[in-house]
Amino acid sequence: MTWLARFAEDTGLKVPDRMQAAKALTEVREEWEAGAAWLARFAEDATVDDYGRVWSAWQLALMDEYEEAAATMLTRFVEETTFNGEDRIWAAWGLAQLDGHREAGIEWLMRFARDPALSNKAGEQLARVDKDAYASLLISIMEDTTQTDFARALAAWNLSDADGHRQAGAAWLARFSGSTEPISPVEAFERVWKRSNYGAE
């Protein structure tokens, strides 16, 4: 047994260190299968924190032989409501990187981006994966009259920072601010923020 294998197996070590040893094993020609087995074990271990489980599954997904098995794990993690929200976002991002699972990953990121508690982090990852999908999501939020004024203005603010959509985002911000004069995106967003928090300009 190599030192890396011993480290992966040693319960006296911290779990993150054991996971790193397992990852390193996958890079050794004679040990890659053992490393993959350890990664799978960590990903399925409920005593490992959510981040560690998603991380292990993603490392497994980077190996062609285990990509589909890892995709199944990531799908389960992204659907698991007891998981930390940010770790579910990361699982969705991972899915979006895999052939045959890209659309599912993007759909989950769009769903998370509509959650006020997860919108910033999910939006960032969605923009990394598919800028057009991100812009489409922002536009749908801006046009949704059931959303709060602040949520719609925030979507417009983010759109004004997206390549190819800056003018449209700025125009929506001006509209939400109620300005009839030319106004900068910063000033327009500030007006909406003050109105949402204090009921006044």
Side-chain angles (χ1 to χ4, degrees):
M1 178 182 293
T2 65
W3 281 107
L4 285 174
R6 289 178 182 176
F7 291 154
E9 187 174 341
D10 189 348
T11 56
L13 296 177
K14 294 180 179 179
V15 172
D17 293 333
R18 296 174 65 198
M19 291 190 298
Q20 288 290 345
K23 177 180 180 298
L25 272 176
T26 65
E27 299 169 3
V28 178
R29 182 182 303 175
E30 297 80 7
E31 302 284 351
W32 69 270
E33 289 183 323
W38 274 109
L39 287 174
R41 191 174 305 181
F42 289 129
E44 296 289 9
D45 188 345
T47 67
V48 175
D49 64 26
D50 299 344
Y51 174 85
R53 297 181 70 182
V54 175
W55 183 90
S56 296
W58 173 243
Q59 296 304 320
L60 203 59
L62 297 177
M63 304 172 67
D64 291 342
E65 297 85 353
Y66 295 93
E67 183 175 314
E68 278 306 309
T72 299
M73 293 177 186
L74 290 171
T75 299
R76 193 167 72 250
F77 296 159
V78 80
E79 294 174 349
E80 181 51 72
T81 57
T82 63
F83 263 43
N84 175 281
E86 290 194 7
D87 294 323
R88 295 177 71 195
I89 289 171
W90 189 26
W93 175 87
L95 275 179
Q97 310 306 308
L98 304 179
D99 291 340
H101 302 277
R102 177 178 172 81
E103 290 187 6
I106 289 175
E107 287 177 7
W108 273 104
L109 287 173
M110 292 183 74
R111 184 181 305 185
F112 292 141
R114 284 187 170 277
D115 182 337
L118 302 174
S119 59
N120 286 341
K121 183 66 69 174
E124 288 175 8
Q125 299 309 316
L126 180 59
R128 288 176 61 195
V129 172
D130 191 324
K131 292 182 179 179
D132 290 337
Y134 180 52
S136 177
L137 171 70
L138 293 175
I139 291 171
S140 71
I141 293 173
M142 290 188 309
E143 295 177 342
D144 185 354
T145 57
T146 66
Q147 296 281 341
T148 65
D149 288 347
F150 182 74
R152 298 174 74 192
L154 181 59
W157 171 263
N158 288 327
L159 191 68
S160 72
D161 195 41
D163 291 341
H165 302 278
R166 299 183 192 282
Q167 289 186 342
W172 275 95
L173 271 174
R175 175 180 172 182
F176 291 141
S177 73
S179 175
T180 57
E181 303 292 334
I183 186 173
S184 72
V186 173
E187 185 178 354
F189 185 73
E190 185 178 57
R191 285 191 185 184
V192 178
W193 183 84
K194 287 181 177 179
R195 189 167 66 234
S196 298
N197 286 276
Y198 303 110
E201 300 293 334

